[in-house]
Amino acid sequence: MPGSVLPSVKRLQEDLEALSLIGRHGQGVSRTAFSPADMEARGFVRELMARAGMEARMDPAGNVWGSLCGKEPGLPSLVIGSHLDTVPEGGRFDGALGVLAGIECLRTLGEGQATRGRTIEVVGFSDEEGTLTSGYFGSRAMLGRLSTRERHDLGDETSDLYRTLVAAGLSPGEVLRAGRDPLGIHCYIELHAEQGMTLEEMGYSIGVVTGIVGINRYTVEIPGTARHAGTTPMRLRDDAIVKASRFILRMHEYVLGLEEQAVLTAGWLRVFPGAYNIVPGKVQVGVEARSMDPGLLDQAEAEMARVLEPLGGHVNLLSSDAPALLDDGVRQALAAAASKEGYASHPMRSGAGHDASIMARSVPSGMIFIPSRDGLSHCPQEWSAPWHLEAGLRVLYRACLDLSG
Ligand code: HGY
Ligand code: MN
Ligand code: MN
């Protein structure tokens, strides 16, 4: 390899540990989008990039960028990245791995004084998890894919988006300036823990992602009649939470029948007015449906409407991210990089969402997965073994050399 210097898994582990201390919550990590911990982590990573010899900056959407200039600055850059925010009480690998492994690759190139043809950039995107917006905020802002509603909210001082960005020290009016011309990007690669069980069960260290599921998010509202909980006979009740339970169970059964081609989750429930002694008068349910097949997403939505009709409920679509297919050429380059490093790789789909699904709509994009122990993620137990980290890092480094010319 150029300069014969290899990326260090030990340094990667040290960086993962240090970053996981920011927002540490028991054994887990809480760095929800634009929270003080998230912003502290962005400062930490920017500093790490600068110490690794990169030109580091934060763009107006909160994305942190570090770049290593190539010999031919006129060529489009290779971009490596992932996200720095986490879900509440999440793990230490989700997102952080892809950003820190990218930094380790560039640190290694710097040490070996192996200047590449292309400029290589590492990015830590903002609000990938959608705790503030519908998700992928940073990558969508960069590629001009914010919704009309979000663009409106950026100018509305009373909106949650506006207020949260200001509290984080950002200027909402400047966010659109994070936009970049996709023609300036040669391709995007993201290393991520699988967050599922496929690689572990099949005994692979490396997965190469072929596509990323589409994700639709909904708010479902189901009415009832609020009444005294002690004096209203059971037979006379119009109980919103009982109706919501029927809805959730019916949808669960329906999606079970789709033979693992879709998933549906009722991830939160709000009960109104919400007291021990009142029969619930209204329930809101947060529902998310995912599939690689847009037709199945449409069918699930139609089924929700069918089930809700006799219950008097209705469903509102909040956001919709279409399934994304990753670039064939980048996939082949990643599989070849794995093979050169001595790893067999497994082509697979991702049931989790990633910034790569947004990037893939504008630039050739690919993803490398490594196994997650017991398939666990979005929880403090999330873990990837050091030998899998090493596999991911080596394949990312090799791909970085191959794709930067
Ligand atoms: O929700 C997801 O799939 C991801 O972890 N952002
Ligand atoms: Mn996640
Ligand atoms: Mn992630």
Side-chain angles (χ1 to χ4, degrees):
M1 287 200 182
S4 317
V5 185
L6 288 175
S8 156
V9 74
K10 183 166 172 291
R11 279 194 308 219
L12 172 59
Q13 284 176 299
E14 285 165 3
D15 289 346
L16 280 164
E17 172 65 19
L19 184 54
S20 79
L21 294 176
I22 305 177
R24 182 62 73 88
H25 188 115
Q27 287 307 302
V29 186
S30 287
R31 282 199 310 267
T32 52
F34 304 110
S35 61
D38 182 30
M39 296 315 287
E40 185 183 337
R42 283 169 200 282
F44 171 86
V45 166
R46 185 175 162 173
E47 186 57 33
L48 202 62
M49 288 168 163
R51 283 208 307 272
M54 305 159 74
E55 252 180 60
R57 68 187 173 96
M58 180 152 73
D59 75 17
N63 300 316
V64 183
W65 293 89
S67 65
L68 199 64
C69 203
K71 279 189 287 226
E72 296 176 63
L75 287 179
S77 324
L78 167 65
V79 177
I80 305 173
S82 194
H83 59 100
L84 291 171
D85 62 308
T86 72
V87 291
E89 299 182 44
R92 60 173 65 186
F93 296 89
D94 182 357
L97 172 63
V99 183
L100 296 177
I103 294 175
E104 176 55 22
C105 288
L106 292 210
R107 187 155 48 200
T108 308
L109 282 176
E111 281 171 355
Q113 298 181 338
T115 311
R116 310 301 299 162
R118 296 181 190 284
T119 293
I120 309 176
E121 299 179 74
V122 178
V123 60
F125 285 120
S126 62
D127 196 15
E128 188 272 348
E129 297 288 7
T131 44
L132 176 64
T133 64
S134 62
Y136 319 120
F137 179 75
S139 49
R140 287 189 300 114
M142 170 193 149
L143 292 170
R145 292 183 179 275
L146 295 185
S147 66
T148 315
R149 173 87 222 179
E150 286 166 329
R151 287 201 302 270
H152 169 271
D153 285 355
L154 288 173
D156 174 0
E157 291 178 19
T158 65
S159 72
D160 280 352
L161 181 59
Y162 187 102
R163 290 209 291 234
T164 307
L165 292 177
V166 169
L170 295 165
S171 306
E174 300 282 301
V175 164
L176 298 185
R177 296 167 64 112
R180 279 186 63 166
D181 181 353
L183 292 177
I185 298 175
H186 174 59
C187 65
Y188 171 73
I189 44 181
E190 180 165 354
L191 169 66
H192 206 286
E194 181 201 332
Q195 310 179 278
M197 298 167 61
T198 307
L199 292 175
E200 193 176 65
E201 280 179 1
M202 297 185 74
Y204 286 93
S205 289
I206 296 291
V208 174
V209 180
T210 54
I212 300 173
V213 286
I215 305 179
N216 286 357
R217 286 186 173 175
Y218 305 90
T219 318
V220 167
E221 204 161 286
I222 298 168
T225 309
R227 291 181 63 166
H228 197 291
T231 57
T232 310
M234 295 304 282
R235 70 191 147 78
L236 291 184
R237 292 176 185 222
D238 172 28
D239 183 332
I241 206 166
V242 171
K243 289 155 82 178
S245 309
R246 287 205 185 103
F247 163 74
I248 293 168
L249 286 173
R250 287 276 299 278
M251 288 311 300
H252 186 84
E253 296 299 325
Y254 175 80
V255 179
L256 267 177
L258 297 179
E259 296 172 351
E260 308 292 342
Q261 297 307 305
V263 292
L264 179 139
T265 308
W268 57 261
L269 211 63
R270 279 188 205 122
V271 181
F272 298 90
Y276 282 106
N277 54 0
I278 309 175
V279 175
K282 183 171 85 178
V283 166
Q284 286 177 342
V285 193
V287 176
E288 198 195 70
R290 301 187 178 207
S291 177
M292 273 314 291
D293 179 348
L296 286 184
L297 292 173
D298 290 346
Q299 280 177 38
E301 186 174 320
E303 183 64 14
M304 280 197 264
R306 246 194 310 278
V307 174
L308 286 168
E309 221 236 302
L311 302 173
H314 59 269
V315 52
N316 294 315
L317 177 68
L318 288 183
S319 63
S320 177
D321 284 299
L325 291 177
L326 299 188
D327 183 76
D328 272 340
V330 179
R331 273 163 53 189
Q332 278 163 22
L334 296 178
S339 150
K340 284 185 206 162
E341 290 301 313
Y343 297 101
S345 61
H346 179 59
M348 58 187 296
R349 290 173 171 184
S350 174
H354 299 287
D355 289 300
S357 72
I358 300 300
M359 296 297 281
R361 287 158 220 210
S362 301
V363 300
S365 299
M367 284 193 85
I368 305 162
F369 273 177
I370 59 167
S372 298
R373 187 174 63 193
D374 299 329
L376 291 171
S377 184
H378 283 186
C379 58
Q381 293 75 22
E382 182 183 87
W383 183 257
S384 292
W387 52 94
H388 294 319
L389 291 179
E390 181 166 8
L393 181 60
R394 281 176 51 184
V395 174
L396 182 68
Y397 186 61
R398 168 55 70 184
C400 173
L401 295 176
D402 291 351
L403 292 166
S404 58

